[in-house]
Amino acid sequence: MRIAIYAGSFDPMTRGHEDLMVRSLEFVDRLIVGVATNSSKQPLFSIDERVEMIRMAMGDQPRIAVKSFGGLLVDFARQEGAHLLIRGLRAVSDFEYEYQMALMNRHLSTKLETVFMVPSLDTTYISASLVREIARFGGDVTSLVHPVVASALRAKLPPK
Amino acid sequence: MRIAIYAGSFDPMTRGHEDLMVRSLEFVDRLIVGVATNSSKQPLFSIDERVEMIRMAMGDQPRIAVKSFGGLLVDFARQEGAHLLIRGLRAVSDFEYEYQMALMNRHLSTKLETVFMVPSLDTTYISASLVREIARFGGDVTSLVHPVVASALRAKLPPK
Amino acid sequence: MRIAIYAGSFDPMTRGHEDLMVRSLEFVDRLIVGVATNSSKQPLFSIDERVEMIRMAMGDQPRIAVKSFGGLLVDFARQEGAHLLIRGLRAVSDFEYEYQMALMNRHLSTKLETVFMVPSLDTTYISASLVREIARFGGDVTSLVHPVVASALRAKLPPK
Amino acid sequence: MRIAIYAGSFDPMTRGHEDLMVRSLEFVDRLIVGVATNSSKQPLFSIDERVEMIRMAMGDQPRIAVKSFGGLLVDFARQEGAHLLIRGLRAVSDFEYEYQMALMNRHLSTKLETVFMVPSLDTTYISASLVREIARFGGDVTSLVHPVVASALRAKLPPK
Amino acid sequence: MRIAIYAGSFDPMTRGHEDLMVRSLEFVDRLIVGVATNSSKQPLFSIDERVEMIRMAMGDQPRIAVKSFGGLLVDFARQEGAHLLIRGLRAVSDFEYEYQMALMNRHLSTKLETVFMVPSLDTTYISASLVREIARFGGDVTSLVHPVVASALRAKLPPK
Amino acid sequence: MRIAIYAGSFDPMTRGHEDLMVRSLEFVDRLIVGVATNSSKQPLFSIDERVEMIRMAMGDQPRIAVKSFGGLLVDFARQEGAHLLIRGLRAVSDFEYEYQMALMNRHLSTKLETVFMVPSLDTTYISASLVREIARFGGDVTSLVHPVVASALRAKLPPK
């Protein structure tokens, strides 16, 4: 069974993240969405909120599991029996960082392969940080995130 | 069964190409190496020579098939029953062209997903055009290509 | 009156080119589409065919004029009384070349300003060279170019 | 009347910012310089100081207005009746972020077009953050910023 | 005598840094490693610890001196009689920032030339920030840093 | 004695090339300008013309020698006793190709180090191909190339 990991901070999950999760099911048997706890930045949503939102939004996908993790990604992958890391690529600046990480992860665990995917064109310009900024100023995020996330954003950042 | 296509001109196949072929077997069941005939450039090796070299070099991999193709890659994929395209990414300039192609191929055939892989670090600087140039001037290519290819290069470009 | 030039080889004009022409009318009074004759490459369509296709496709835009030009772009701009060059930016590799050209054109004619625009998202992956390649192998280009261009492509590159 | 917005944090305004403001007057009737209040970073100059410095430096340009704004740029543009955003492009990394923002702003307000300009060559290497760093260590900034800004920097960061 | 400066925060020095130091001795007579004190970020190692580690690791290189410095790099260079800055280039994003800095430093001191070098391939993916992160989570850094640094990391970040 | 090679096709030499040659003398004892004969493209100037123009233009620099070479650059360097390659970097796209070449040349000859320099800002936008194009259409190249080259261009490409 091919198990892959799609890791990130998902603060919050966007339509771009969802798109990649579903696409990856085309060639993996099981996808583990790994929500990273150890970000140095102060997140908008707690780790539990982020895990819960993804679970609710992706609930109809039996082959997707959502878990939080701390520590190194290579250790999480080993623990989950995953040999594949899925990453999204939208821009050159993404690419450079991702390329360095792919080489470092391969150095740390030779069994771990990274594959990159291109998100759907209409999610290209969506990032979690832009979504947070738009929500903070009362902009409309309904086409950028899942309804579950849109509700959570409204509750967390009520219009003034 | 997950069938993937790894297309290129392979004029000639390098250690970087080989590396990617073997890595992709980690998550595909069958890899079809598609050698493109319709390049506008005058190749060093004929289409038959290129197909034959890859077959000889990869002969111990029963899950890899080598075929030539003309026309659009999406048509070749459809014909072979493949839903996945494998591409190597080494540099930002690779990325931009590959990104455009991935979006165009998805436009032409929504069923066709492109995944990108990072070649082994020690093949990063190898390209078929550099290999041809080095061989042409009598440089040593033995660590850059398979022995089968090195022999073919010596036969095609004898030292003056 | 603000006159701008949008120059290129338009071999053939794509939906991306059209999109930029119409968008530029938002801030220029008159747009001169300059079809370059002096390309070193052998074009698919003659200069007259290219000019004619753009005229037919953009016929309902009275503020757009289509002209062919040889020689330096700065000379063409001077002759047309234009102080603005319009360019499309899709990718980093576009940007670098365009940036060098903008600086050189400013050096050659200090009165000439270059402004860059972002094409519509759904035309991002369209280029004239990809359109030619798809048409050549009998692929469907109807959503990539204007009907006038699609007909011309079918006439020029009949299915075998 | 064509109204455009040139937004930023201008902490402080550099010669590169000035250059772009003046250049943009070539094709816009009125330029509104929007000084953003909602930056998360602690600025060196207060919002009022930044607005005042630009007003003093650009005082001889009757078609330039300087205003502070909070919230989303698209809302500020709507309120000011502007349909054009002016942005400077110096480097590939600028380009990627700006490209994403241009697409997002178009998504949020289809009437809002972004145009990019290339600053004068001799301002290419100037950024507000480098200016602050040089001033902080007593370096000479007189050729990097307007005399009004140079005085303000000396007052804010006196030599130790 | 050709004196060059290789400046950075070295928090901590990696195998990539070491590689560049040794390579530069090929064309400089004396290399001054300048450890920057004025970083805004909270470093893992104190300035004295960083200087000391580099001195211990590079102790067998009589032509390398290690010094801390505050203030502008151009002032440090002037004070040390250096006319050359050595920088490592690994990625496009490195390049853009470095390019801007090289132009700014030349503006601040016309006598100061910047030369860029390519680190050894097997250190390409190593960065000080990745080393800190791996050490923090108990990963193995022995092939990424000098034994002196590896010991210091174990002492500073003991396994939990 | 530190001998370096600055190789290229120099068809023709531009002010950017000159700038780099002079700058490199700051840290090399002797610079050998290597004019490549084996370009596949049809040059505007013959190899002898190109060598002669550089010799005339750089005649007052006793530490610069100009030679033509065929074959691999690493072989030319070995033959000249050079351990350093000098390359100019202007843009990200330059960087990627140069980076690959630097790694390949180090693979072919471990003794050969590549160092990159940044040309003077006012030569950033000059390339030999743009110079040829401007001269071909009767544009003014006097500030882009040495007077010796400007004369040669006028003789080779007389105004029609």
Side-chain angles (χ1 to χ4, degrees):
Chain A
M1 194 168 72
R2 286 185 194 99
I3 303 173
I5 285 183
Y6 179 43
S9 46
F10 303 103
D11 185 35
M13 177 174 72
T14 67
R15 284 291 191 199
H17 296 134
E18 284 176 59
D19 176 67
L20 231 72
M21 291 175 195
V22 174
R23 282 179 190 282
S24 73
L25 295 177
E26 190 68 34
F27 61 94
V28 307
D29 297 305
R30 183 175 159 75
L31 181 74
I32 296 165
V33 179
V35 185
T37 60
N38 51 277
S39 172
S40 53
K41 299 167 287 184
Q42 183 65 29
L44 178 63
F45 291 101
S46 75
I47 183 75
D48 289 342
E49 287 171 325
R50 286 179 276 153
V51 167
E52 190 55 26
M53 272 190 285
I54 305 174
R55 276 188 189 144
M56 284 176 67
M58 308 307 286
D60 55 341
Q61 296 282 3
R63 291 195 283 140
I64 296 183
V66 189
K67 304 190 178 186
S68 63
F69 78 100
L72 293 177
L73 183 51
V74 292
D75 293 331
F76 180 54
R78 199 175 292 123
Q79 183 184 307
E80 298 291 331
H83 293 295
L84 218 52
L85 296 178
I86 305 285
R87 305 294 296 165
L89 272 188
R90 289 172 312 176
V92 165
S93 40
D94 282 358
F95 167 67
E96 295 236 305
Y97 174 75
E98 295 294 340
Y99 188 77
Q100 186 188 25
M101 285 307 301
L103 290 172
M104 180 57 94
N105 283 328
R106 189 184 286 166
H107 168 81
L108 293 172
S109 170
T110 52
K111 293 245 182 71
L112 199 51
E113 194 65 37
T114 305
V115 302
F116 299 100
M117 303 182 70
V118 172
S120 170
L121 196 55
D122 54 341
T123 67
T124 305
Y125 54 88
I126 308 177
S127 70
S129 64
L130 273 181
V131 164
R132 290 196 305 271
E133 191 181 326
I134 292 167
R136 189 162 281 134
F137 293 116
D140 180 11
V141 298
T142 48
S143 60
L144 308 176
V145 295
H146 192 277
V148 162
V149 177
S151 301
L153 280 166
R154 270 191 299 273
K156 185 72 85 182
L157 300 165
K160 293 154 204 172
Chain B
M1 193 168 74
R2 287 187 192 98
I3 303 174
I5 286 184
Y6 179 44
S9 47
F10 303 103
D11 185 35
M13 177 174 72
T14 67
R15 284 292 189 198
H17 296 133
E18 284 177 58
D19 176 67
L20 230 71
M21 292 175 195
V22 175
R23 281 179 192 282
S24 73
L25 295 176
E26 189 69 35
F27 61 94
V28 306
D29 296 305
R30 182 173 160 77
L31 181 74
I32 297 164
V33 178
V35 185
T37 60
N38 51 276
S39 171
S40 53
K41 301 168 283 184
Q42 182 66 30
L44 178 63
F45 291 101
S46 74
I47 183 75
D48 288 342
E49 287 171 325
R50 286 179 276 152
V51 166
E52 190 55 28
M53 271 190 284
I54 305 174
R55 276 189 187 142
M56 285 176 67
M58 308 306 287
D60 55 341
Q61 296 283 3
R63 292 194 283 139
I64 295 183
V66 189
K67 304 190 177 185
S68 63
F69 77 101
L72 293 178
L73 183 51
V74 293
D75 293 331
F76 179 54
R78 199 175 291 124
Q79 184 184 304
E80 297 291 332
H83 294 295
L84 218 51
L85 296 178
I86 305 285
R87 307 294 295 165
L89 272 188
R90 287 171 313 177
V92 165
S93 40
D94 281 359
F95 168 68
E96 294 235 306
Y97 174 75
E98 294 294 340
Y99 188 76
Q100 186 188 23
M101 286 307 299
L103 290 173
M104 181 57 97
N105 283 328
R106 188 184 287 167
H107 167 81
L108 292 171
S109 170
T110 51
K111 293 249 183 68
L112 200 51
E113 194 65 38
T114 305
V115 302
F116 298 100
M117 303 182 69
V118 172
S120 170
L121 197 55
D122 55 339
T123 67
T124 304
Y125 54 88
I126 309 177
S127 70
S129 64
L130 274 180
V131 164
R132 290 195 307 269
E133 191 180 325
I134 292 167
R136 190 163 280 133
F137 294 115
D140 181 10
V141 298
T142 48
S143 60
L144 308 175
V145 296
H146 192 278
V148 163
V149 177
S151 301
L153 280 165
R154 269 190 300 274
K156 184 73 83 181
L157 301 165
K160 292 151 206 176
Chain C
M1 194 167 74
R2 287 185 192 99
I3 303 173
I5 286 184
Y6 179 44
S9 47
F10 304 103
D11 185 34
M13 177 174 72
T14 67
R15 285 291 190 199
H17 296 133
E18 284 177 59
D19 176 66
L20 231 71
M21 290 175 197
V22 174
R23 281 179 192 282
S24 74
L25 295 177
E26 189 69 36
F27 61 94
V28 306
D29 297 304
R30 185 174 158 77
L31 182 74
I32 296 164
V33 178
V35 185
T37 61
N38 52 276
S39 171
S40 53
K41 301 168 283 185
Q42 183 66 30
L44 178 62
F45 291 101
S46 74
I47 183 75
D48 289 342
E49 287 170 325
R50 287 179 274 151
V51 166
E52 190 55 27
M53 271 190 284
I54 305 175
R55 277 188 187 145
M56 284 176 68
M58 308 306 286
D60 55 342
Q61 297 283 2
R63 292 195 283 140
I64 296 183
V66 189
K67 304 189 177 186
S68 63
F69 77 100
L72 294 177
L73 182 51
V74 293
D75 293 332
F76 180 53
R78 198 175 293 125
Q79 183 183 307
E80 298 291 331
H83 294 295
L84 219 51
L85 296 178
I86 305 285
R87 306 294 296 165
L89 273 188
R90 288 172 312 178
V92 165
S93 40
D94 282 359
F95 167 69
E96 295 235 305
Y97 174 75
E98 294 294 340
Y99 187 76
Q100 186 188 24
M101 285 306 300
L103 290 173
M104 180 56 96
N105 283 328
R106 188 184 286 169
H107 168 81
L108 293 172
S109 170
T110 51
K111 292 247 182 71
L112 201 51
E113 194 65 38
T114 306
V115 302
F116 298 100
M117 302 181 70
V118 172
S120 170
L121 197 55
D122 54 339
T123 67
T124 303
Y125 53 88
I126 309 177
S127 70
S129 64
L130 274 180
V131 164
R132 290 196 305 271
E133 191 179 327
I134 292 166
R136 189 163 280 133
F137 293 116
D140 180 9
V141 297
T142 49
S143 61
L144 307 176
V145 295
H146 192 276
V148 163
V149 176
S151 300
L153 280 165
R154 270 190 299 274
K156 185 74 84 181
L157 301 165
K160 292 151 205 172
Chain D
M1 193 167 75
R2 284 183 194 100
I3 303 173
I5 285 183
Y6 179 44
S9 47
F10 303 103
D11 185 35
M13 176 174 73
T14 68
R15 285 291 191 201
H17 296 134
E18 284 177 60
D19 176 67
L20 232 71
M21 291 176 197
V22 174
R23 281 179 192 284
S24 74
L25 295 177
E26 189 68 35
F27 62 94
V28 305
D29 297 305
R30 182 175 160 78
L31 182 74
I32 296 164
V33 178
V35 185
T37 60
N38 50 277
S39 171
S40 52
K41 301 168 283 186
Q42 184 65 30
L44 178 62
F45 291 101
S46 74
I47 183 75
D48 289 342
E49 287 171 325
R50 286 179 275 151
V51 166
E52 190 55 27
M53 272 190 284
I54 305 174
R55 277 188 187 145
M56 285 176 67
M58 308 307 284
D60 55 341
Q61 296 283 2
R63 292 195 282 140
I64 295 184
V66 189
K67 304 189 178 185
S68 63
F69 77 100
L72 293 177
L73 182 51
V74 293
D75 293 331
F76 180 54
R78 199 174 291 124
Q79 183 184 309
E80 298 290 330
H83 293 296
L84 219 52
L85 296 178
I86 306 285
R87 306 294 295 165
L89 273 188
R90 287 172 312 177
V92 165
S93 40
D94 281 358
F95 168 67
E96 296 235 304
Y97 174 75
E98 294 294 340
Y99 187 76
Q100 186 188 24
M101 285 306 301
L103 290 173
M104 181 56 95
N105 283 327
R106 188 183 285 167
H107 168 80
L108 293 172
S109 169
T110 51
K111 293 245 182 70
L112 200 51
E113 194 65 37
T114 305
V115 302
F116 298 100
M117 304 181 69
V118 172
S120 169
L121 196 56
D122 55 340
T123 67
T124 305
Y125 53 87
I126 309 178
S127 70
S129 64
L130 274 180
V131 164
R132 289 195 307 268
E133 191 180 327
I134 292 167
R136 189 163 281 134
F137 294 116
D140 181 10
V141 297
T142 49
S143 60
L144 308 176
V145 294
H146 192 277
V148 163
V149 176
S151 300
L153 281 165
R154 270 191 299 273
K156 185 74 84 182
L157 301 165
K160 293 152 207 174
Chain E
M1 192 167 75
R2 285 185 195 99
I3 304 173
I5 285 184
Y6 179 43
S9 47
F10 302 104
D11 184 35
M13 177 173 72
T14 68
R15 284 291 190 201
H17 296 135
E18 284 177 59
D19 175 67
L20 232 71
M21 291 175 196
V22 175
R23 282 179 191 283
S24 74
L25 296 176
E26 189 68 35
F27 61 95
V28 306
D29 298 304
R30 182 173 161 78
L31 181 74
I32 296 164
V33 179
V35 185
T37 60
N38 51 278
S39 172
S40 52
K41 300 168 284 185
Q42 183 64 29
L44 178 63
F45 291 101
S46 75
I47 184 74
D48 288 342
E49 287 171 325
R50 286 179 275 150
V51 166
E52 190 54 28
M53 272 190 283
I54 305 174
R55 276 188 188 143
M56 285 176 66
M58 308 307 286
D60 56 342
Q61 295 284 1
R63 291 196 283 138
I64 295 183
V66 189
K67 303 190 178 185
S68 64
F69 77 100
L72 294 177
L73 183 50
V74 292
D75 293 330
F76 180 54
R78 200 175 290 125
Q79 181 185 309
E80 297 291 331
H83 294 294
L84 220 51
L85 296 179
I86 306 285
R87 306 294 294 166
L89 273 189
R90 288 172 312 177
V92 165
S93 40
D94 281 359
F95 168 67
E96 294 235 306
Y97 174 75
E98 294 294 341
Y99 188 76
Q100 185 188 26
M101 285 307 299
L103 290 173
M104 181 57 95
N105 283 327
R106 189 183 286 167
H107 168 81
L108 293 172
S109 169
T110 51
K111 294 247 182 69
L112 200 51
E113 194 65 37
T114 304
V115 302
F116 298 100
M117 303 182 69
V118 172
S120 170
L121 197 55
D122 55 339
T123 68
T124 304
Y125 54 87
I126 309 178
S127 70
S129 64
L130 274 180
V131 164
R132 290 195 306 269
E133 191 180 326
I134 292 166
R136 189 162 280 134
F137 293 116
D140 181 9
V141 298
T142 49
S143 61
L144 308 176
V145 295
H146 191 276
V148 163
V149 176
S151 302
L153 280 166
R154 270 191 298 274
K156 185 73 83 181
L157 300 166
K160 293 152 207 178
Chain F
M1 193 167 73
R2 286 183 194 101
I3 303 173
I5 286 184
Y6 179 44
S9 47
F10 303 103
D11 186 35
M13 176 174 74
T14 67
R15 284 291 190 199
H17 296 134
E18 284 177 59
D19 176 67
L20 230 72
M21 292 176 196
V22 174
R23 281 179 192 283
S24 74
L25 295 177
E26 189 69 35
F27 61 93
V28 307
D29 296 306
R30 184 175 159 77
L31 181 74
I32 296 164
V33 179
V35 186
T37 61
N38 51 276
S39 170
S40 53
K41 301 167 284 185
Q42 183 66 30
L44 177 63
F45 291 100
S46 75
I47 183 75
D48 289 343
E49 287 172 324
R50 285 179 277 151
V51 166
E52 189 56 28
M53 271 190 285
I54 305 174
R55 276 188 188 145
M56 284 176 68
M58 307 307 286
D60 56 341
Q61 297 283 3
R63 293 194 283 140
I64 295 183
V66 189
K67 303 189 177 185
S68 63
F69 77 100
L72 293 177
L73 182 52
V74 293
D75 293 331
F76 179 55
R78 199 176 291 124
Q79 184 184 306
E80 298 291 330
H83 294 296
L84 218 51
L85 296 178
I86 306 285
R87 306 293 295 165
L89 272 189
R90 289 173 310 178
V92 165
S93 40
D94 281 359
F95 167 67
E96 295 235 305
Y97 174 75
E98 294 293 340
Y99 187 77
Q100 186 188 25
M101 284 307 300
L103 290 173
M104 180 57 96
N105 282 328
R106 188 183 286 167
H107 168 80
L108 293 171
S109 171
T110 51
K111 293 248 183 69
L112 200 51
E113 194 65 39
T114 304
V115 302
F116 298 100
M117 303 182 68
V118 172
S120 170
L121 196 56
D122 54 340
T123 67
T124 306
Y125 54 89
I126 309 177
S127 70
S129 64
L130 274 181
V131 164
R132 290 195 307 270
E133 191 181 326
I134 292 167
R136 190 162 280 133
F137 294 116
D140 180 10
V141 298
T142 49
S143 60
L144 307 176
V145 295
H146 192 276
V148 163
V149 177
S151 300
L153 280 165
R154 270 190 299 274
K156 185 73 84 180
L157 301 165
K160 292 153 205 173

